[in-house]
Amino acid sequence: MTVNNKSRFLNEDLPLEERIKDLLENLTLDEKISLLPTKQAAIPRLGIKEYTVGGEAAHGVAWLGKATVFPQTIGLASTWDTGLMEEIGNVIGDEYRVYYQKSDEKHGLSIWFPTVDMERDPRWGRTEEAYGEDPYLTAAMAGTLVKAVQGNHPFYLRAATTLKHFFANNNEKDRTKCSASINPRSIREYYWEPFRRIITEYGAKCIMTAYNEVNGLPMIVNPWVKSVVKEKWGLEGFVVCDAEDFRQNVNDHKFCRTHAETFALALKNGVDCFTDEPELVINSAREALERGLITEEDIDRAISNIFRMRIRYGQFDKSDKNPYKNIPENVLCCEKHCKVAYKAAQKAIVLLKNENILPLKKEKIKKIAVIGPMGDELYNDWYSGTYPYKVTILDGLKNKLPNAEISFTDGSDLVRIKSVRGMKYIEPDDSGVLRACGAEPSDKSLFSLTDWGWGSFTLKNITNKKYVTCEGRLSAVSDRAFGWFVKELFNLIPKGGNEYTIKTYNGNVAGFSDESSGIIVEKDYLNRSEDDIFILETVKDGISMAKAVAADADIVLVTLGNNPVINGKEEMDRPEISLAPHQEKLLKEVYSVNKNTVLVLISSYPVAINWANENIPAIIYSAHGGQEMGNAIADVLFGDYNPAGRLPMTWYKSSEQLSSIMDYDIIKTKRTYMYFDGEPLYPFGYGLSYSSFEYGNMKLSADVLKKGSELRISLDVTNVSEIAGEEVVQLYISFSESKVKRPKKQLKGFKRICLNPGETQTVEFELKPEEFCFYDVSREIYCVEKCLLTIMAGASSEDIRLQKTIPVDGEVIPERDLTFTTWAENCDDYENIVFDMFENGRSSVKALGKGSWISFHNVLFKREVSCLTVQASAAAPGANVTVRIDSPDGEVIGKFFIPNTCAPSMPEGRLSMEWAHIQCNVARTSGHHDIYFVFDGSANISNFKFT
C-alpha cells in the first residue's frame, strides 16, 4: 500500500479536528461518496483500509467466533447491578478488539448495541434485546456498559457503542412502514430519555435510527436526529440507519419518490452512514448531487463524523499511545471472563415465589426429576454469540449433586409419521432426506415432537439426533431450530382422527414428490395433492413420561419457557404473553403427581404464569442465561447463591390488561408501572431473597425542595435474617397536586447492596434538579412545578417501605393562552386521534373519523375572543369541526369546514401534503374554559390561534 505520508491526517500529534480537516481536503468527491455506506471502500493512497461499520454484541460479541456469552439483555437488566455492567463492558470491549485485530482491522469497532428502546409492551418480539420499561434503569445499566466498552482513555476509544433504535421501536409487525403515534410528553419524558441520558451522562458516541415512523415521519429522515441528538445532546460520533432502511423509505414507507431524495433528506437531517448495498447508496448520493439536493459540504459533515470515530480507534496511528492497540488474543473466553459470565448468570436470576421450599438441602435430595424443554438446552437468540462451552440446567445439577439420581425428560411426544399414500413410515435416509419408505415401524422412524404453542412444532429424529428442516425437501439434518427464517418449524393441521396436513415454516405444505422415491418435499399450498396427508402415531406421550419420572422424585424441577427464535423474535411479535398451552398442561399434570415441584422459567420476556403463581410452591426466573446458566440456577436452587435479581418490567396477568401494541402514548393508555392502575402479576422491581431486610431512618437534605436545588436522601437497610444476602434498594418519586397527570411512581435511583446477617448499611442517593421536571406542553419547556413531592424507598415499585412528602417551591403552571399560535400536537387530551406528519420537527393531529376530538385544558381568555384561525388539511370529502367549551358535548362556540387540500393522486411521496389556512367566527368567549375541537370526519390540524 503506497501512502501519502505528507498527509497531516496521519499525524497523530495534531488535534483531531485538524486531522479531519486535512482528510477532507485530500479526499476526492468520489472517494468521499465511497465512504458513506457501512461497507467503506479502501483508499490506499491515504492509508485508509477497507472497513465495515457495525457489528453486534447485545450480550457478548456475536457472529465473529467463540466469545464469552452473557445472559440476554433483559436478564442483564434483571441484575440491577451497574458494577457488574462495568465488568461486562470491559469483557466485551476487549474481546471485540481481538476480533477487530484478527480481521486485519477491517471489522468495525462501531458496535451496534446496546438496544435502549423503551419496552412498554411485553408482546414486542425483541423484548430480550433491551433493558426493560423504565428510562432511568435503562440509562443507568446500558450507560455504564457503554462507558466501559468505550474505555477510559482521554482520546482513544476501545470501541464505540451505537444506541439503537432511535426511537419508539417497540413492535415488529409492519415495522418497516408503520407509524408510532406519540404525544409530546411521552416522547420527551419517556422515549427520548434513555438516549439523552446515555449520550449526555455516559458519553455514547453513535446512534442508529429506527425503522418505524414517528407521527407519520420515518425516523431515517426525521429532523430530530440532527436538531435534538446532535445539536442539543451533543452526539460526538455518527448516526447510522438500520439495515436496508434506506431503500425502505421508498419501497415500504413510500415517503420519498426516489432513493436520491431519501439520501438527501436523511443526510441533511443527520444520518451520516447508510446500511444498504454500497452501489445503491453511492448511486443515490451521486444523483442527489447532480440534482442539487445536497452539496459536497453536506457529505463532508458526514465524513467528519464517521472519521472522528475511526481516528479515535487508532486506525491510522502507529505509536503505542493507544492502550487498546494490541489486546492479546488469549483474553477471548479466558477464565476471568468466564467468571464474569458466571457472576452475571447468578445475579440475573429472580426468585418469584418461595413457600419455604427453597433453598433445597443437598443432604435430603437423593432423586431429582428434571422436566421440560429448557432442562438440557441452551438456546440462541439472533444476537447471541458463539458459546465457548455450555452448562445446561441438567449439567449444573449434575455438577452440584454428582451422587444424586437425576432423571430427565423434555416433555415432548415420541411419534412416528406415516404417509397416507402407500401407508409407509417416514424416516431419514443416510443423507438425512425424509422418505416414505418404512414398511414397518423402526427406530429410524421415531421423532421427538415438541409443541411450542400457537401452531409451532419442531421434529427431531431420534436416531440421527437432527432436526427436520425444509429446503425444498424435508430433511433431518439441522443441529438446531434456528435462523432468520426458522425452517425447522412446522404446524400440524388436523384433518380428522390422527391425520394431519403438515404445514411448513413459510405456509407451504409437506407432500410427496412426483418421483417414486417417496421423498417428502415442500409444495405450494394450492398445488398440494389430496393424499398429501400424514398419520401421526404417538408412541409415547410426553406428559405421561414426565409424570412417570416425577412421581417418586424428592424434588421436581419443571423447566419451561421459550425458544428465542420461535413465537417472538425480530420481525415477529408474540401471539400471547401466557405460557404455551402444552407447557401449561405439562406443569399442571406433573404437579398433580408430586407437590414438591419448582418451576424454573427461562424466558426472553415476561410470562403470565397465573396458575403457577397460585399453585406451585417455588418459582425462579431467568432470561436465557448464557454459558453458565446451569451452574447459576443450581447455585440458587441449593442456596449456594442467594438470589437478588429484580424484574425490569411489569409482568401483567394477561394481554387483556394491555391495549393495542401500537398504543405508544403511555400516559393515556396507562402503560408501565408509572401509569398502570390495574393489578399486575408481578410489579416492576419485584424479586425475592432468602434473606429478609428492614428499612428505616429515612432522611432528606431539605424540608422544602427549592427550584434548581439537589436533594439528598439517606436511609438504613438492615439484614434481619440469618443469611447473608443482597438487597436492591429502589428510590421512587411521585407528585401530587399537579395540574397534569404525573406518573404514580418514577424510579430515580437504585443500589444493589450486600449485607451480612444483622448488618446495617446506610444507603445514600442524590437527585439532581432535572429529576423533578416534567415537560409542560402548554409552554414547550421542562419545568419544576409547585406541588407536593413524595420520596419513596422500597424493595419494588409496589413494596414501598419508607416515604416522606415535602412541598416543592416550584413555579405555578400558568393558564393556557390560546391567543398565541398553539400547536395541536400539544393538546391535553384526545380521542380517536393519531399524531401525524407536519414539518420542521412538528406533528399535526389527525382525526380518524366522526367523534374524534382534541382538548386544551385550563385555558384563560383574558379578553373576549371572536375569531379562530386554523391551519388544517384533509382529503376528500373534507371534514366539519365544531369548537366546544368544557366538554366534547359542551356548548358550541364555533364551526369550520376543512376542505380537500390534497393534490390529485400521483406517483409521488407524501411530502406533497398541502395545508389550508381557515378562519371562522366564534361566539364571544372569555374567562376559564376547556376547549374542544370535535370532528365529524378525517382531517389534520397543525396549529390554531384565537383572536
Side-chain angles (χ1 to χ4, degrees):
M1 179 183 288
T2 303
V3 178
N4 178 6
N5 291 315
K6 295 181 179 179
S7 174
R8 291 165 57 81
F9 157 64
L10 298 174
N11 186 344
E12 58 197 82
D13 295 323
L14 289 178
L16 175 61
E17 297 306 315
E18 280 191 36
R19 296 177 69 179
I20 294 171
K21 182 172 182 285
D22 180 76
L23 171 66
L24 294 174
E25 290 171 353
N26 279 280
L27 287 168
T28 68
L29 180 56
D30 281 345
E31 288 170 340
K32 292 174 182 177
I33 291 172
S34 74
L35 296 168
L36 292 170
T38 48
K39 294 179 181 177
Q40 297 178 347
I43 304 173
R45 68 182 185 84
L46 294 179
I48 297 172
K49 294 181 179 180
E50 175 188 344
Y51 182 71
T52 299
V53 173
E56 301 290 351
H59 50 108
V61 175
W63 304 354
L64 299 178
K66 289 183 179 180
T68 306
V69 179
F70 298 98
Q72 290 178 306
T73 306
I74 196 68
L76 297 180
S78 299
T79 70
W80 291 59
D81 191 326
T82 54
L84 173 67
M85 297 306 291
E86 183 176 359
E87 291 184 66
I88 292 170
N90 285 323
V91 172
I92 292 174
D94 279 353
E95 294 196 352
Y96 217 98
R97 265 279 172 175
V98 169
Y99 276 111
Y100 166 72
Q101 292 160 191
K102 285 163 67 77
S103 72
D104 191 27
E105 301 185 349
K106 292 178 182 178
H107 190 86
L109 286 173
S110 305
I111 316 173
W112 291 345
F113 92 124
T115 297
V116 297
D117 296 302
M118 286 287 87
E119 300 191 295
R120 39 97 235 182
D121 197 307
R123 294 169 294 190
W124 186 35
R126 301 177 73 175
T127 295
E128 68 207 22
E129 292 183 40
Y131 290 81
E133 68 183 30
D134 182 76
Y136 183 92
L137 176 67
T138 294
M141 297 293 285
T144 303
L145 179 76
V146 161
K147 196 170 183 178
V149 168
Q150 293 180 169
N152 56 13
H153 191 273
F155 180 78
Y156 290 106
L157 294 169
R158 178 160 46 190
T161 56
T162 304
L163 306 182
K164 59 184 190 181
H165 312 83
F166 187 75
F167 68 98
N169 179 186
N170 191 216
N171 64 281
E172 290 304 293
K173 186 177 185 299
D174 297 330
R175 65 178 184 163
T176 61
K177 59 185 178 183
C178 70
S179 177
S181 170
I182 321 178
N183 62 313
R185 273 191 65 198
S186 291
I187 288 173
R188 288 158 178 81
E189 295 178 12
Y190 188 63
Y191 295 103
W192 281 0
E193 191 61 3
F195 291 94
R196 181 193 70 82
R197 284 182 182 270
I198 299 172
I199 292 169
T200 61
E201 297 175 19
Y202 297 93
K205 303 303 179 190
C206 305
I207 70 158
M208 175 183 284
T209 54
Y211 282 126
N212 53 280
E213 301 173 8
V214 172
N215 299 351
L217 190 59
M219 284 309 306
I220 189 175
V221 296
N222 197 306
W224 283 330
V225 173
K226 181 181 179 183
S227 64
V228 175
V229 176
K230 289 186 169 181
E231 296 175 355
K232 190 171 183 180
W233 299 341
L235 185 78
E236 182 183 351
F238 61 86
V239 176
V240 62
C241 67
D242 209 340
E244 295 189 353
D245 192 30
F246 176 64
R247 70 180 66 194
Q248 287 162 183
N249 197 45
V250 172
N251 300 344
D252 293 358
H253 292 288
K254 302 189 186 305
F255 188 79
C256 289
R257 183 172 54 86
T258 68
H259 297 304
E261 290 164 4
T262 294
F263 183 88
L265 276 176
L267 192 70
K268 285 180 171 292
N269 284 310
V271 175
D272 303 298
C273 192
F274 296 83
T275 314
D276 219 311
E277 289 300 321
E279 185 179 4
L280 175 65
V281 175
I282 289 167
N283 290 341
S284 299
R286 286 174 176 156
E287 182 184 338
L289 277 166
E290 290 167 3
R291 292 171 57 185
L293 302 176
I294 59 171
T295 65
E296 186 171 353
E297 287 72 23
D298 295 320
I299 293 174
D300 285 351
R301 280 191 294 272
I303 300 301
S304 296
N305 293 329
I306 293 167
F307 274 82
R308 188 171 293 112
M309 296 297 95
R310 290 187 64 174
I311 292 171
R312 290 193 61 185
Y313 302 149
Q315 284 188 339
F316 311 104
D317 295 357
K318 303 298 183 184
S319 74
D320 294 327
K321 294 178 182 177
N322 181 0
Y324 313 116
K325 184 177 180 182
N326 291 303
I327 292 177
E329 190 172 333
N330 63 11
V331 305
L332 277 176
C333 308
C334 65
E335 183 180 359
K336 179 182 177 182
H337 290 185
C338 292
K339 286 180 178 179
V340 179
Y342 191 0
K343 182 195 296 188
Q346 291 174 320
K347 284 178 174 279
I349 294 171
V350 183
L351 180 61
L352 295 177
K353 183 180 179 182
N354 187 23
E355 293 181 342
N356 298 316
I357 191 172
L358 297 179
L360 302 171
K361 293 182 170 45
K362 297 173 192 172
E363 64 275 11
K364 293 185 177 181
I365 303 295
K366 306 300 181 186
K367 193 171 185 180
I368 303 174
V370 180
I371 294 166
M374 302 295 125
D376 198 27
E377 290 281 357
L378 290 186
Y379 292 99
N380 284 62
D381 60 57
W382 186 247
Y383 295 102
S384 289
T386 303
Y387 290 93
Y389 59 87
K390 295 181 178 182
V391 183
T392 68
I393 294 173
L394 189 59
D395 294 331
L397 292 169
K398 289 177 179 178
N399 294 338
K400 187 68 63 178
L401 295 177
N403 298 319
E405 180 184 342
I406 303 176
S407 302
F408 170 71
T409 179
D410 68 0
S412 300
D413 292 341
L414 190 64
V415 302
R416 287 190 174 95
I417 303 170
K418 184 188 289 186
S419 64
V420 167
R421 181 194 296 186
M423 300 301 287
K424 297 288 184 71
Y425 287 100
I426 307 301
E427 56 186 49
D429 62 19
D430 291 343
S431 62
V433 175
L434 296 192
R435 298 174 184 267
C437 60
E440 298 294 332
S442 68
D443 288 348
K444 285 186 72 175
S445 60
L446 284 173
F447 293 87
S448 175
L449 177 67
T450 303
D451 182 355
W452 294 99
W454 301 285
S456 295
F457 295 84
T458 53
L459 283 162
K460 187 177 184 181
N461 185 256
I462 296 301
T463 302
N464 73 9
K465 296 181 173 53
K466 300 291 186 179
Y467 285 92
V468 177
T469 190
C470 176
E471 292 272 10
R473 294 176 173 181
L474 272 63
S475 305
V477 295
S478 288
D479 292 325
R480 56 182 178 165
F482 187 77
W484 188 263
F485 301 105
V486 186
K487 298 178 181 181
E488 296 74 32
L489 282 184
F490 300 90
N491 192 5
L492 305 180
I493 311 299
K495 305 300 290 185
N498 61 348
E499 294 185 355
Y500 295 85
T501 297
I502 299 179
K503 211 166 187 178
T504 58
Y505 76 99
N506 53 5
N508 292 331
V509 297
F512 303 94
S513 67
D514 295 331
E515 309 166 9
S516 59
S517 60
I519 291 175
I520 310 303
V521 298
E522 172 191 359
K523 289 185 176 181
D524 183 273
Y525 185 79
L526 296 177
N527 294 327
R528 70 192 186 282
S529 301
E530 289 184 4
D531 57 357
D532 286 333
I533 304 293
F534 299 87
I535 297 169
L536 195 69
E537 295 181 357
T538 301
V539 179
K540 290 184 180 180
D541 173 68
I543 290 179
S544 297
M545 287 190 286
K547 290 169 72 173
V549 168
D552 63 347
D554 297 322
I555 191 72
V556 182
L557 305 177
V558 182
T559 64
L560 305 178
N562 76 305
N563 181 318
V565 295
I566 298 175
N567 295 326
K569 67 180 190 70
E570 188 163 0
E571 288 200 326
M572 179 193 298
D573 292 312
R574 297 168 68 189
E576 253 299 340
I577 67 171
S578 58
L579 272 177
H582 179 80
Q583 292 192 18
E584 182 100 357
K585 183 179 179 183
L586 175 65
L587 178 62
K588 290 178 178 178
E589 292 292 327
V590 168
Y591 180 71
S592 73
V593 299
N594 194 329
K595 298 297 187 281
N596 292 322
T597 295
V598 175
L599 171 59
V600 180
L601 181 66
I602 309 299
S603 176
S604 304
Y605 26 63
V607 186
I609 49 170
N610 299 292
W611 185 89
N613 186 58
E614 293 169 3
N615 293 277
I616 302 298
I619 306 171
I620 68 172
Y621 159 72
S622 172
H624 293 271
Q627 62 198 47
E628 287 282 357
M629 185 181 78
N631 283 331
I633 286 175
D635 288 344
V636 168
L637 288 170
F638 286 94
D640 294 322
Y641 186 83
N642 190 348
R646 299 292 185 265
L647 298 178
M649 296 180 70
T650 301
W651 284 39
Y652 298 96
K653 290 185 174 181
S654 81
S655 56
E656 292 179 1
Q657 292 181 312
L658 299 165
S659 59
S660 165
I661 197 171
M662 291 307 298
D663 284 340
Y664 274 80
D665 182 344
I666 66 165
I667 301 172
K668 187 171 181 64
T669 59
K670 301 178 181 179
R671 291 299 187 91
T672 79
Y673 78 96
M674 292 187 282
Y675 295 100
F676 182 60
D677 57 6
E679 182 181 354
L681 177 62
Y682 304 116
F684 173 82
Y686 174 81
L688 303 177
S689 169
Y690 297 149
S691 305
S692 299
F693 302 91
E694 287 185 355
Y695 289 56
N697 196 29
M698 175 182 273
K699 296 178 182 178
L700 308 184
S701 62
D703 295 327
V704 177
L705 180 67
K706 299 287 187 181
K707 183 179 178 182
S709 297
E710 297 178 348
L711 184 67
R712 293 180 298 281
I713 303 100
S714 67
L715 57 118
D716 293 339
V717 181
T718 302
N719 184 344
V720 295
S721 69
E722 297 180 355
I723 303 172
E726 292 176 289
E727 175 72 334
V728 179
V729 184
Q730 301 167 39
L731 188 77
Y732 296 88
I733 65 173
S734 68
F735 298 90
S736 54
E737 300 183 8
S738 174
K739 284 194 174 182
V740 300
K741 185 177 181 180
R742 304 287 288 272
K744 292 167 53 187
K745 297 182 183 76
Q746 281 179 281
L747 183 72
K748 291 296 180 181
F750 63 90
K751 290 187 178 178
R752 182 164 175 160
I753 61 172
C754 185
L755 295 172
N756 291 318
E759 182 182 359
T760 297
Q761 183 171 327
T762 299
V763 182
E764 297 179 337
F765 299 95
E766 185 174 296
L767 301 187
K768 297 178 181 178
E770 56 265 30
E771 302 295 352
F772 308 107
C773 293
F774 82 101
Y775 184 72
D776 177 16
V777 296
S778 68
R779 296 175 294 165
E780 299 188 332
I781 60 170
Y782 291 91
C783 66
V784 176
E785 182 184 15
K786 184 178 180 65
C787 59
L788 295 177
L789 165 68
T790 299
I791 303 290
M792 295 164 280
S796 81
S797 61
E798 294 295 318
D799 185 7
I800 300 301
R801 309 287 183 87
L802 301 170
Q803 64 180 54
K804 283 193 174 184
T805 301
I806 60 173
V808 179
D809 186 18
E811 59 181 306
V812 176
I813 307 302
E815 293 89 351
R816 296 195 76 143
D817 186 351
L818 303 187
T819 63
F820 292 93
T821 298
T822 300
W823 295 95
E825 64 179 328
N826 288 326
C827 57
D828 291 297
D829 200 1
Y830 60 90
E831 188 64 41
N832 199 32
I833 288 286
V834 294
F835 295 89
D836 200 10
M837 184 179 65
F838 184 55
E839 56 190 34
N840 298 325
R842 290 283 185 184
S843 300
S844 62
V845 297
K846 181 177 182 177
L848 298 179
K850 187 174 182 179
S852 300
W853 54 260
I854 57 174
S855 63
F856 300 82
H857 301 165
N858 193 31
V859 175
L860 174 60
F861 293 114
K862 295 179 182 178
R863 297 184 298 274
E864 277 191 350
V865 295
S866 58
C867 182
L868 172 66
T869 302
V870 181
Q871 188 175 29
S873 176
N880 290 294
V881 181
T882 56
V883 184
R884 298 175 180 265
I885 56 174
D886 301 328
S887 81
D889 302 315
E891 177 187 345
V892 176
I893 63 169
K895 297 179 180 179
F896 60 91
F897 176 71
I898 304 174
N900 175 16
T901 61
C902 296
S905 178
M906 51 196 305
E908 292 186 356
R910 285 183 278 152
L911 291 173
S912 60
M913 195 172 186
E914 297 291 339
W915 295 86
H917 291 271
I918 301 165
Q919 278 194 342
C920 73
N921 294 324
V922 297
R924 294 185 177 278
T925 304
S926 61
H928 285 92
H929 294 284
D930 293 342
I931 300 297
Y932 288 77
F933 292 78
V934 183
F935 299 75
D936 77 350
S938 179
N940 290 54
I941 293 179
S942 62
N943 62 73
F944 63 90
K945 178 180 179 181
F946 284 91
T947 54

